[in-house]
Amino acid sequence: MHRSIRVTALAALAATPFCLSGLALAQTADTEDQGLQEVVVTGSLIHRTDTETPSPVQVMSAEQIQQSGYTDISEILRNITANGANTLSQSFGQAFAAGASGVSLRGLTVGDTLVLIDGQRMVAYPLPDDNQRSFVDVSDIPINAIEQVQVLKDGASALYGADAIGGVVNVILKKSYTGFSITGEAGESSHHDGGLEHVAVIGGMGDLASDGWNAYFTVDFHHQDQILASNRTGLWTALNWTPEGGFNTTPGACAGGGANCDGNVAFPATITGYLGGLTGGAFNGNITGYLPGCTAALQAANGCEYTLPQMQLQPKTENINMLAKFSKDLGNGWTGSVTGSMFNSQAQQVAFNYTADGFSSGLVNIAFSGQQQIPSLVPFPPLLITVPANYPGNTTGADAALDYNFHELGLPMTLTDTNTYRLVFDVTGKTMGWDLDLSAGLMYARMDEELTGNIQPVLLQAALNPVGNVDAVGAPYSGYIVGPNANGALATQLFAPDMFTYPTSALDYVNLNGSRQLAQLPGGPLSIGVGLQYFHKDQNFTAPPASATGLETQAGGPIYTVGSQEDSSAYVELDALPIKQLELNAAVRYDHYDTYGNSTTPKFGAKFTPASWVSVRGTWGKGFRAPSASEGGQSGALFGAGATNDPVLCPNPGTPTTPGNYVGQCSVFLTGYQVANTQLKAVQSTEYTGGLIFEPSKNFNVSVDYYNIKLTDDIISSFEAGGLTQYISLVRLPGQVLPQYGTPAQCTAAGQAAGCVINTNSAVGPILFATYPYVNGGVTTTSGVDVDAKAHIDIGSMDRLSAELQWTHEISYTELVNGVTYQLAGTHGPSGISGDTGNPKDRGVLTVSWDHGPFDLSTTVNYISSFTSLDPSAGLTSCAFVEAFSGTSAYGARFPFGGAVYPPGCSVARFIDVDLYARYNITKHFDLHASVLNVGNSPPPLDLQTYGGGGELAYDPAMHQIGAVGRFYTAGFTFTL
């Protein structure tokens, strides 16, 4: 887009609501009261008629949700402007929490955003994000049962307790429904893939007022096909970066030839296989032969590349959500209801490459599970996969190491099938001046998780060296044969059986609250709200048995989280109108957890309205997040911590040949063990807001709100707090014979130099892993401004034109770690969380709607600003450094530029997409509707830094997924009785 066009477009976005306001001011304001009804707004217990509270709240109606053109509430929530860095998308192909979507208000992670249904807590997803943060999967809510969504944009721990630091998303379901409605929709992209089928049915009968009861049910079916990366083109899909001055990162490429094929990888990925020499049973670094299908000459000329036809940029997903509610008038102003639901969510997550057996590093298997707190080395793994001397293609006359990517298994997949059950009882009514609400809920989520395409080394070695196979040249070979024609079904049967695990999550709660007027002040009522709450939650996630016992080489290693929490709390809220123009609000909550202890969180708010058309508001409060089961219960996860020296076996790493240093121990790749810490304190927050509401007429209003949130005692890994040296303990193998420089007696031989090497018994064995517990070690502060402008104008008797602009500008986002403060607003930081989404400073959504009798037309423009690829908190402080450690790195740790600066790769460009929605009411019972998402077919901006791109492509699915999908068409109907 030319600069002049960009400027014009942005100016138009900014000006539209204010142009409409000029028209609105020319209209005659409505003079008739529409009958004000008392409601409870998210963030308060007090019944009120004024929906503009001291706290900023964004409200999305069912009609606005429909006009977005999306058919999944998770996609709608992803586009709200307050949703920032660290949001979780189903298209994140390497997510620990496979198959889920989460909201990250203010960029403070999905764990610091509280998601409610009808003001009550929802059970957490069975898999924690990054095996750390507990969160609610927002893709698991039936869209046709939603009355509205309220997004509270400041903290609310004083009323709701833990997790409401970044804000609250409250999904409000229909209280009752009479009649019948069915909606059917189908869609696909302009590339004829990603097919969508959506059917939503709702039906109900009975009227609470006249019949004394109401019952309704909803069924929502949503299916979306996968989109393969091979169906898209553009620089963001590139694997061969040589035209731009980088490397060819296509699997199997070897652009430079020699030992370092592309400058970073000694031995590229291969689906034909090659063999390596052995010395003393260890790989000696020499390739001794290529198996059929590739040669050294072909490899050097990139003749051994291969494609990944299964690689996805959008996973296949399916949801079947059912909900039923029965309400009964109990008399004397009391109503009882019971709501039951079953949400089923199925998704697949495809890995970035075929499972590999690489002889460059060997295999070391570690076992642990929820019952085995200390990881241990599996005592019988082969440290190196070998083939016998008589293996076809082995011409060395001896056993040889094997390097191979098992394409016959297909890309490893994680298949999730999650059932979430929810049963809620509510009783509401009035007595002695009190509005009372008693709610109790039972919730349970169970996942069937299947993992495919992962090898078990012991079984693999047995398949390559079957019992009775004679290890001699000329003897017949009867074992498994790898290569282009390998038998995938046989491979699965022999050494890569599918694995299963069944994570669960549960939540039970009882909540009683009431509110009433205490007195009448000069300006209005003095009201009080009080409440008591108890909840218990469990999380149980263990690795599949083969992974937990160390027999299988699942990517990421074995992981587990087992734990529970109980919380008992009491809270009180006061709301007063000392004068008509001033509203004061105060709340405080006390929580007692059976895990870490107690938290007391106050909040104060005020709104001053000197004139009917203008108000000033502000809040101040404290918040907290209790340590999750992963952080403070029982958990473990293995990760690659990086290269360092062994402080005992190589005490002088600066001069490796110093006598006493053990050969190979001056640079070891450390395995980190992330473990829970039962001594953690709760994360604390202090937050305040200040804003202005301007409403010159009922046809136009605009609010501008400043927010500032500071987290202290933030829970982070001790590795994140200080890196390699912050381990609590080193767990070692037993002492063994290792090569050592010098000694004894300078190798004893006469005239021997001090740098000689001798095999000696080490006092301790090599490092198995380093333990890194979670610690209260972080301080995060973020601030910014929200703008919400709305305008509408009636043109004649049949036409209405309306517009709404939501805009969030992040002023600052800092992290204080280990005594150093890092500014991350407008950067890619914090890059180690939830797929490295990036941290744009600006997000905007403009919706313009035209209602013309039976015809409705809406246009929505979504804007995400550019941001750099730097992340100072991770040491990525220069473009050259980013280029050296970014891009499609999963293919054997290959990087596209290796330190050469590629200017477009040092920043992620701004992204704008335009969506259209149209509806025509043919009769009052039947309408047709259609939408076009990403009308301009805008591609996603290039992002070489993220590791969350679908299929390891160079784009960010959390921010720019619709760009990768491209133009998407949907058409449907709604029939209502």
Side-chain angles (χ1 to χ4, degrees):
M1 181 182 288
H2 294 293
R3 182 180 183 277
S4 59
I5 298 176
R6 280 205 305 269
V7 173
T8 303
L10 293 176
L13 295 188
T16 299
F18 302 100
C19 294
L20 290 173
S21 72
L23 295 172
L25 288 170
Q27 303 299 306
T28 302
D30 296 334
T31 56
E32 296 181 4
D33 262 345
Q34 299 300 314
L36 297 177
Q37 187 177 14
E38 285 192 343
V39 295
V40 176
V41 180
T42 301
S44 175
L45 295 174
I46 309 295
H47 290 248
R48 57 191 296 133
T49 58
D50 181 5
T51 58
E52 291 285 8
T53 70
S55 297
V57 179
Q58 177 184 350
V59 179
M60 291 180 285
S61 66
E63 183 177 13
Q64 289 173 311
I65 291 171
Q66 184 182 33
Q67 290 174 345
S68 71
Y70 287 98
T71 57
D72 184 336
I73 191 64
S74 67
E75 295 172 313
I76 296 165
L77 293 175
R78 186 170 63 237
N79 285 335
I80 62 176
T81 62
N83 186 33
N86 309 313
T87 185
L88 184 62
S89 161
Q90 284 183 313
S91 295
F92 175 20
Q94 302 177 65
F96 283 83
S101 294
V103 182
S104 175
L105 295 179
R106 307 305 185 196
L108 296 175
T109 79
V110 294
D112 288 333
T113 297
L114 180 62
V115 176
L116 308 173
I117 295 182
D118 286 335
Q120 304 295 344
R121 288 180 176 266
M122 181 61 181
V123 65
Y125 193 61
L127 302 179
D129 178 37
D130 285 343
N131 200 46
Q132 178 182 1
R133 291 168 288 275
S134 179
F135 72 102
V136 172
D137 177 18
V138 294
S139 67
D140 236 3
I141 301 172
I143 198 168
N144 65 331
I146 297 174
E147 184 70 28
Q148 62 178 228
V149 176
Q150 296 183 359
V151 182
L152 179 68
K153 296 184 180 182
D154 69 349
S157 288
L159 289 179
Y160 299 118
D163 311 330
I165 290 175
V168 178
V169 175
N170 187 11
V171 179
I172 300 172
L173 305 177
K174 298 180 189 299
K175 290 182 171 55
S176 63
Y177 185 87
T178 303
F180 175 82
S181 177
I182 179 171
T183 295
E185 297 170 304
E188 69 173 16
S189 77
S190 58
H191 297 267
H192 306 295
D193 57 10
L196 163 72
E197 298 89 37
H198 179 223
V199 179
V201 177
I202 183 169
M205 61 181 65
D207 182 270
L208 270 174
S210 58
D211 301 324
W213 62 277
N214 177 260
Y216 78 86
F217 72 95
T218 70
V219 178
D220 189 288
F221 170 79
H222 189 280
H223 172 91
Q224 191 125 28
D225 290 333
Q226 68 174 353
I227 295 178
L228 297 175
S230 58
N231 289 349
R232 297 294 184 271
T233 59
L235 192 59
W236 59 278
T237 69
L239 296 179
N240 184 0
W241 295 90
T242 53
E244 285 75 34
F247 296 129
N248 183 357
T249 65
T250 306
C254 189
N260 296 313
C261 294
D262 63 6
N264 289 279
V265 177
F267 307 104
T270 171
I271 60 172
T272 56
Y274 40 88
L275 305 178
L278 298 174
T279 300
F283 173 59
N284 60 23
N286 298 316
I287 296 178
T288 59
Y290 289 78
L291 296 179
C294 184
T295 65
L298 274 175
Q299 188 179 73
N302 291 333
C304 302
E305 295 178 356
Y306 61 88
T307 60
L308 300 170
Q310 297 168 290
M311 192 165 63
Q312 296 176 334
L313 59 84
Q314 174 178 288
K316 175 184 175 182
T317 59
E318 185 171 292
N319 293 76
I320 303 176
N321 299 320
M322 296 179 287
L323 182 146
K325 182 173 184 177
F326 176 78
S327 302
K328 182 74 170 68
D329 186 344
L330 303 177
N332 298 319
W334 287 84
T335 302
S337 67
V338 56
T339 306
S341 62
M342 193 281 287
F343 305 151
N344 175 260
S345 173
Q346 300 177 41
Q348 62 178 212
Q349 179 174 293
V350 177
F352 48 77
N353 202 351
Y354 303 125
T355 302
D357 156 41
F359 52 50
S360 57
S361 59
L363 298 171
V364 177
N365 281 8
I366 296 177
F368 68 93
S369 66
Q371 290 71 42
Q372 179 185 345
Q373 294 299 295
I374 303 300
S376 61
L377 183 71
V378 177
F380 49 87
L383 296 182
L384 198 68
I385 297 297
T386 63
V387 296
N390 63 338
Y391 185 86
N394 184 4
T395 60
T396 65
D399 289 357
L402 173 69
D403 193 311
Y404 180 67
N405 290 74
F406 290 85
H407 67 99
E408 60 266 40
L409 296 173
L411 290 176
M413 284 197 295
T414 301
L415 306 172
T416 58
D417 187 345
T418 308
N419 286 322
T420 303
Y421 305 93
R422 182 175 181 265
L423 183 63
V424 174
F425 302 90
D426 281 295
V427 178
T428 61
K430 295 179 179 288
T431 182
M432 296 183 290
W434 286 87
D435 292 303
L436 296 178
D437 185 350
L438 172 65
S439 180
L442 305 172
M443 304 175 206
Y444 179 72
R446 182 185 189 274
M447 173 186 291
D448 293 355
E449 184 180 31
E450 178 182 2
L451 300 102
T452 71
N454 299 286
I455 63 173
Q456 295 190 25
V458 172
L459 298 180
L460 172 60
Q461 191 65 71
L464 293 169
N465 292 272
V467 175
N469 180 28
V470 179
D471 186 7
V473 177
Y477 180 75
S478 58
Y480 183 80
I481 299 176
V482 302
N485 299 316
N487 187 326
L490 180 61
T492 299
Q493 176 186 344
L494 290 177
F495 54 81
D498 294 347
M499 298 183 299
F500 298 88
T501 186
Y502 307 97
T504 63
S505 180
L507 172 68
D508 307 323
Y509 79 87
V510 178
N511 187 39
L512 172 64
N513 60 61
S515 64
R516 65 164 297 163
Q517 291 187 15
L518 293 178
Q520 192 67 27
L521 302 178
L526 169 64
S527 301
I528 187 173
V530 295
L532 299 171
Q533 185 179 67
Y534 166 83
F535 69 76
H536 173 95
K537 58 182 179 180
D538 293 284
Q539 194 131 26
N540 191 321
F541 166 42
T542 56
S547 181
T549 54
L551 299 178
E552 175 272 331
T553 57
Q554 175 190 353
I559 303 168
Y560 74 89
T561 285
V562 178
S564 65
Q565 288 181 337
E566 286 189 6
D567 174 49
S568 302
S569 61
Y571 45 97
V572 60
E573 177 189 8
L574 289 171
D575 193 85
L577 291 166
I579 59 175
K580 186 177 181 180
Q581 295 83 6
L582 179 63
E583 177 184 358
L584 299 176
N585 183 275
V588 64
R589 176 176 171 125
Y590 172 81
D591 287 85
H592 173 73
Y593 277 78
D594 66 338
T595 50
Y596 76 89
N598 309 321
S599 290
T600 301
T601 47
K603 183 177 180 179
F604 301 94
K607 187 178 73 168
F608 178 59
T609 308
S612 61
W613 51 270
V614 64
S615 298
V616 180
R617 65 183 175 189
T619 63
W620 176 91
K622 293 282 190 179
F624 76 102
R625 179 175 70 81
S628 69
S630 298
E631 295 164 333
Q634 300 178 22
S635 74
L638 298 178
F639 66 98
T644 186
N645 68 294
D646 186 318
V648 175
L649 299 180
C650 180
N652 299 291
T655 52
T657 58
T658 300
N661 282 347
Y662 281 83
V663 178
Q665 302 304 307
C666 292
S667 181
V668 294
F669 192 81
L670 199 62
T671 295
Y673 176 44
Q674 184 65 65
V675 66
N677 178 1
T678 58
Q679 304 304 309
L680 288 173
K681 299 179 290 185
V683 180
Q684 305 292 328
S685 72
T686 302
E687 45 211 27
Y688 59 90
T689 66
L692 175 70
I693 306 169
F694 178 68
E695 189 170 9
S697 80
K698 292 185 177 180
N699 292 11
F700 173 72
N701 70 74
V702 60
S703 62
V704 180
D705 291 281
Y706 170 82
Y707 67 88
N708 187 292
I709 305 171
K710 182 178 182 179
L711 276 59
T712 56
D713 289 330
D714 203 2
I715 298 174
I716 60 177
S717 165
S718 54
F719 177 80
E720 183 183 354
L724 284 167
T725 61
Q726 296 303 302
Y727 50 78
I728 298 300
S729 63
L730 292 174
V731 177
R732 296 178 175 275
L733 296 170
Q736 53 194 264
V737 175
L738 295 172
Q740 184 184 32
Y741 285 107
T743 67
Q746 300 301 306
C747 302
T748 66
Q752 185 74 269
C756 63
V757 176
I758 187 171
N759 291 331
T760 61
N761 284 312
S762 63
V764 298
I767 298 170
L768 178 61
F769 63 86
T771 302
Y772 295 94
Y774 289 108
V775 295
N776 293 109
V779 177
T780 302
T781 306
T782 184
S783 63
V785 175
D786 291 320
V787 177
D788 183 355
K790 301 176 185 177
H792 67 265
I793 174 176
D794 295 325
I795 308 171
S797 59
M798 295 183 60
D799 290 81
R800 166 172 283 211
L801 187 63
S802 59
E804 179 172 0
L805 174 67
Q806 296 277 345
W807 193 281
T808 297
H809 173 69
E810 183 180 75
I811 298 172
S812 176
Y813 189 113
T814 63
E815 281 193 343
L816 173 62
V817 180
N818 207 28
V820 180
T821 299
Y822 304 100
Q823 177 58 257
L824 303 181
T827 74
H828 229 297
S831 59
I833 300 173
S834 297
D836 192 6
T837 65
N839 201 341
K841 284 187 175 183
D842 291 280
R843 296 197 66 173
V845 178
L846 170 66
T847 301
V848 179
S849 301
W850 175 43
D851 298 337
H852 176 70
F855 178 72
D856 299 331
L857 177 66
S858 295
T859 302
T860 301
V861 181
N862 296 286
Y863 172 82
I864 301 174
S865 66
S866 64
F867 49 94
T868 75
S869 297
L870 308 181
D871 178 8
S873 66
L876 302 178
T877 56
S878 71
C879 289
F881 200 79
V882 168
E883 298 295 1
F885 294 91
S886 63
T888 49
S889 57
Y891 300 119
R894 280 183 263 189
F895 310 109
F897 290 92
V901 178
Y902 174 51
C906 201
S907 64
V908 180
R910 63 99 181 96
F911 180 66
I912 299 175
D913 84 273
V914 179
D915 305 329
L916 293 177
Y917 173 85
R919 179 179 62 201
Y920 185 78
N921 297 314
I922 297 176
T923 71
K924 66 178 183 179
H925 299 295
F926 186 75
D927 75 53
L928 296 175
H929 57 267
S931 65
V932 183
L933 303 178
N934 194 3
V935 173
N937 206 26
S938 303
L942 182 68
D943 188 344
L944 291 173
Q945 167 67 5
T946 185
Y947 58 87
E952 281 295 298
L953 301 176
Y955 86 99
D956 181 1
M959 298 287 177
H960 311 126
Q961 178 66 11
I962 191 60
V965 171
R967 188 181 298 116
F968 196 89
Y969 304 96
T970 304
F973 71 91
T974 299
F975 175 71
T976 304
L977 289 176

